[in-house]
Amino acid sequence: MDPLVLFSVVIFLIIVYLLRTAFQAGLAGIPGPFLAKFTNLWRLYKVWNWTFKQDLPALHEYYNSQLIRVGPNLLSCTDPRAVEIIYGFQSQFKKSDMVKAMGPIYQGKRQPTMFAAADNKTHAAIRRPVAPAYAMSKIIQFEPFVDKSMRLFYTRLDELFISTGNVCDYHNWVQYWAFDVISEMTMSRSLRFMEAGGDVDGVMKQLTKETDYRALTLTMPEIDELAKWNPLRWLSKPDQSASFALRCKRILQQRMDEQTSGAATTDANRPADFTSAFLEAQAKDPSISDGQLIGYAKANLTAGSDTTSVILRTAVYYALKQPWIAKRIVEEVDTKVKSFPVPFHTARFDLPFCAAVVRESLRKHFAFMALLEREVPAGGCELPDGTKLPAGVVIGMHGDTIGLSKDIFGENADVFDPLRWLPRAGESPESFEKRRKAMNAHDLAFGHGTRSCIGRHVAEMEIYKFIPTFFGLLEPRFVRPDEPWQLRQLFVFKQSGMDMYLKWRNDRSLASLGI
Ligand code: HEM
Ligand SMILES: *[C@@H]1O[C@H](CO)[C@@H](O)[C@H](O)[C@H]1NC(C)=O
Ligand SMILES: *[C@@H]1O[C@H](CO)[C@@H](O)[C@H](O)[C@H]1NC(C)=O
Ligand SMILES: CC(=O)N[C@H]1CO[C@H](CO)[C@@H](O)[C@@H]1O
């Protein structure tokens, strides 16, 4: 055949394919960026450029629609009424294919994880046996260990920054702390970031690399395939040879050996950590491999440290940028708190303003950059505004855009204002309760429904305790008070540039923590 004819045929077929993609049934009428109708490359570029999450609200505004098309088969929805339809306990929507790229790889095979399981059976099989380990009644047993790591946190801050007057890179230190806490809970071992005062064995760096890579594969899972034979040197696919995995593996192996040899019982007061829960699950179901256990632990460590530190940065940032907030936290702590670290129960139930700051931080900056994607089930669905979607279409909401809903969160939804979580002057208890319920039902910070965050209580214990303890003990001051923080937005939203000077408040010192 004439090469020119062949070439024309190929071009023709590509055009037909692109047009069919763009004008597929049920999606053709939904507005969105022109390129996004044809290819995921549009979104890949936005994610790569860190502007996907940031530009999403403006895109909805530009197209003046609660439903926009951000990929050939992907819709972003900001209609609060759709939360229950898409994520509710009764919903038949399953997780989209994007999560396939999420499972950790062990010995060349992708391990099924709770987060990444798409169908409800696999998901239930993974989640059900371990769910009890994440219940509040179990998590609260870890409070002494959270306290211990808080004491270490302040001891290190005192040594390195308070007593020397050096600048504290707060944005990093909260992550060291969150990491150490979650690794204590997961495997009764700390990764010792706080002791090192920095990265250990390049673990942190590796983790960022891995999550960055994941952010891109989530947009285009094909990248994962490409990376298998790695034609592009810059696309280095992270794998189990990485130091983080090796370190986890070593620690977990130790933990498992201890468990089997009975040595783990030396500390009788120690609550069973997640490793014990994994091991129990494995004893019941021997088909769960050690590799899976390591994958699980690693996934938990990543799920639990990046996200928690995002919220700890958000809360402290806005409290210092709007000094009335920090002032009010301090007043509340001074009247109600008797001991440090602030006990979880006090922090959660006796400090309404501090609790409101936590809720507002969770609302203001959703920790992930991606939509919470779900697939329209067989038979299609109808959205509250009457739009009908065919089966197989992927639809998602983003915590940031839903958080901007004025109907739900009030006219000032775009600003950080903890007061929205408290009764307003003159507001009747009934109308506050109604408002509060609506906000709770549309708060996507921890997701919603059967796939919502299983680690929520872990995160809440850390965050609720941290805020009043921090402001109760220290007087933080930004080094560059007039400059905004810097935002990195690939897989998780990550803030930096929160350098600060720290000093103890009046009569406070390490002794306030019983050290
Ligand atoms: C402030 C901290 C945290 C935030 C904001 C957060 C947020 C979320 C969100 C939004 C989801 C739902 C994802 C979806 O619907 O696609 C989720 C799921 C999940 N999170 Fe968290 N998370 C946090 C901390 C943690 C911690 C500490 C752990 C582990 C101990 C954890 C483990 C998980 C797991 C295993 C899932 C998957 C649950 C399932 O699919 O059944 N998270 N998280
Ligand atoms: C995103 O694109 C803009 C404009 O081309 C560029 O200035 C910016 O550095 C990019 N950001 C990243 C993170 O690549
Ligand atoms: C999974 O969903 C199907 C309907 O799609 C339902 O019949 C079944 O009970 C669900 N299974 C579990 C374990 O929730
Ligand atoms: C994010 C993630 O995958 N977390 C894991 C935490 O541990 C449980 C218990 O085994 C796993 O099922 C989860 O997948």
Side-chain angles (χ1 to χ4, degrees):
M1 207 197 289
D2 184 335
L4 193 67
V5 174
L6 185 67
F7 181 72
S8 311
V9 168
V10 170
I11 293 291
F12 177 74
L13 288 178
I14 290 177
I15 290 175
V16 168
Y17 170 78
L18 287 177
L19 289 178
R20 276 187 50 168
T21 308
F23 293 101
Q24 60 188 290
L27 294 185
I30 297 169
F34 181 72
L35 263 180
K37 296 182 204 295
F38 299 94
T39 168
N40 279 319
L41 285 169
W42 175 83
R43 200 158 44 102
L44 180 66
Y45 173 73
K46 294 297 249 185
V47 171
W48 176 261
N49 191 242
W50 303 358
T51 45
F52 179 71
K53 162 185 161 109
Q54 173 188 318
D55 290 355
L56 208 48
L59 276 175
H60 278 276
E61 209 159 289
Y62 179 81
Y63 291 103
N64 189 24
S65 172
Q66 293 193 315
L67 194 65
I68 61 171
R69 195 170 171 193
V70 291
N73 195 37
L74 177 65
L75 305 176
S76 163
C77 175
T78 55
D79 186 349
R81 296 170 299 174
V83 168
E84 211 46 47
I85 298 179
I86 302 175
Y87 305 102
F89 282 99
Q90 304 307 321
S91 163
Q92 296 298 322
F93 287 56
K94 60 184 184 111
K95 281 210 171 180
S96 72
D97 275 353
M98 84 161 197
V99 294
K100 280 194 191 147
M102 294 276 305
I105 300 168
Y106 182 73
Q107 291 177 344
K109 275 204 353 232
R110 205 171 281 292
Q111 306 296 328
T113 66
M114 193 190 310
F115 192 90
D119 74 291
N120 67 352
K121 275 218 189 77
T122 315
H123 175 254
I126 301 177
R127 180 153 175 156
R128 204 173 291 135
V130 296
Y134 293 88
M136 199 42 162
S137 57
K138 281 279 174 348
I139 300 306
I140 200 76
Q141 297 175 10
F142 284 100
E143 188 163 8
F145 297 91
V146 178
D147 286 348
K148 193 180 101 191
S149 63
M150 284 185 120
R151 289 197 182 94
L152 180 59
F153 180 75
Y154 288 99
T155 307
R156 295 295 283 150
L157 292 190
D158 188 54
E159 275 166 19
L160 296 173
F161 310 112
I162 302 175
S163 63
T164 62
N166 287 342
V167 171
C168 170
D169 47 338
Y170 173 84
H171 48 278
N172 288 327
W173 275 85
V174 280
Q175 184 148 20
Y176 304 155
W177 178 69
F179 228 123
D180 281 354
V181 172
I182 193 75
S183 59
E184 271 272 353
M185 290 194 189
T186 306
M187 40 201 193
S188 303
R189 292 282 187 289
S190 144
L191 286 165
R192 298 174 197 273
F193 286 112
M194 287 194 290
E195 270 169 61
D199 205 348
V200 181
D201 294 352
V203 164
M204 211 76 104
K205 200 164 145 240
Q206 169 65 24
L207 195 60
T208 306
K209 210 171 137 194
E210 203 172 310
T211 45
D212 283 357
Y213 171 83
R214 211 166 276 166
L216 301 173
T217 54
L218 286 183
T219 359
M220 272 185 108
E222 295 88 343
I223 293 178
D224 217 25
E225 293 300 313
L226 267 176
K228 259 186 202 144
W229 26 275
N230 202 359
L232 311 160
R233 294 311 297 165
W234 48 265
L235 197 73
S236 53
K237 187 183 171 98
D239 71 333
Q240 287 291 328
S241 62
S243 50
F244 180 42
L246 280 180
R247 208 181 158 81
C248 284
K249 190 173 165 181
R250 206 166 57 226
I251 295 176
L252 262 178
Q253 198 62 55
Q254 253 179 27
R255 263 294 282 118
M256 294 201 252
D257 292 348
E258 260 178 30
Q259 185 94 4
T260 38
S261 71
T265 53
T266 44
D267 185 354
N269 294 326
R270 177 153 213 125
D273 58 16
F274 292 144
T275 309
S276 318
F278 303 150
L279 292 172
E280 244 167 66
Q282 190 188 36
K284 284 192 197 122
D285 177 3
S287 71
I288 303 176
S289 68
D290 287 0
Q292 240 160 310
L293 296 186
I294 290 162
Y296 282 159
K298 194 175 143 219
N300 276 341
L301 295 181
T302 40
S305 65
D306 267 341
T307 45
T308 306
S309 40
V310 170
I311 309 303
L312 295 177
R313 293 188 201 106
T314 305
V316 168
Y317 179 78
Y318 286 101
L320 291 179
K321 285 285 177 186
Q322 296 167 261
W324 70 269
I325 298 180
K327 189 162 163 267
R328 204 160 148 183
I329 295 175
V330 171
E331 282 165 11
E332 195 175 65
V333 171
D334 285 352
T335 46
K336 305 230 183 89
V337 169
K338 301 203 169 50
S339 67
F340 294 96
V342 179
F344 174 71
H345 194 275
T346 308
R348 177 74 184 76
F349 300 105
D350 303 338
L351 305 175
F353 185 75
C354 290
V357 170
V358 172
R359 289 301 303 269
E360 185 65 352
S361 307
L362 284 160
R363 183 193 73 91
K364 190 71 176 77
H365 292 290
F366 187 57
F368 300 114
M369 65 83 205
L371 300 167
L372 300 177
E373 294 182 14
R374 298 292 189 275
E375 203 178 291
V376 175
C381 76
E382 184 174 339
L383 295 179
D385 66 358
T387 310
K388 289 201 173 64
L389 298 175
V393 168
V394 178
I395 183 167
M397 293 184 141
H398 193 280
D400 277 6
T401 56
I402 197 87
L404 283 172
S405 167
K406 292 188 171 146
D407 292 344
I408 307 293
F409 296 100
E411 281 307 311
N412 68 346
D414 54 340
V415 302
F416 185 93
D417 180 13
L419 297 179
R420 78 179 81 253
W421 298 96
L422 300 171
R424 297 219 175 86
E427 188 176 27
S428 73
E430 297 78 39
S431 100
F432 170 62
E433 192 50 27
K434 195 165 154 242
R435 201 164 59 80
R436 197 181 62 88
K437 270 207 176 118
M439 290 195 292
N440 285 342
H442 297 91
D443 179 3
L444 288 187
F446 289 107
H448 190 80
T450 47
R451 305 304 297 262
S452 68
C453 183
I454 198 174
R456 177 177 192 149
H457 298 312
V458 176
E460 285 184 340
M461 177 155 70
E462 292 176 61
I463 301 167
Y464 278 100
K465 282 171 73 74
F466 186 93
I467 300 305
T469 306
F470 185 75
F471 284 101
L473 293 175
L474 301 183
E475 215 177 279
R477 187 163 56 85
F478 276 135
V479 173
R480 298 173 298 272
D482 299 324
E483 278 177 36
W485 54 11
Q486 280 112 49
L487 307 176
R488 194 175 194 286
Q489 339 201 22
L490 258 154
F491 183 68
V492 286
F493 169 86
K494 197 167 188 166
Q495 315 95 320
S496 60
M498 290 181 67
D499 297 315
M500 51 178 78
Y501 298 112
L502 297 174
K503 63 179 209 188
W504 293 107
R505 286 183 58 217
N506 320 326
D507 50 341
R508 301 279 150 77
S509 67
L510 284 179
S512 318
L513 288 152
I515 297 172

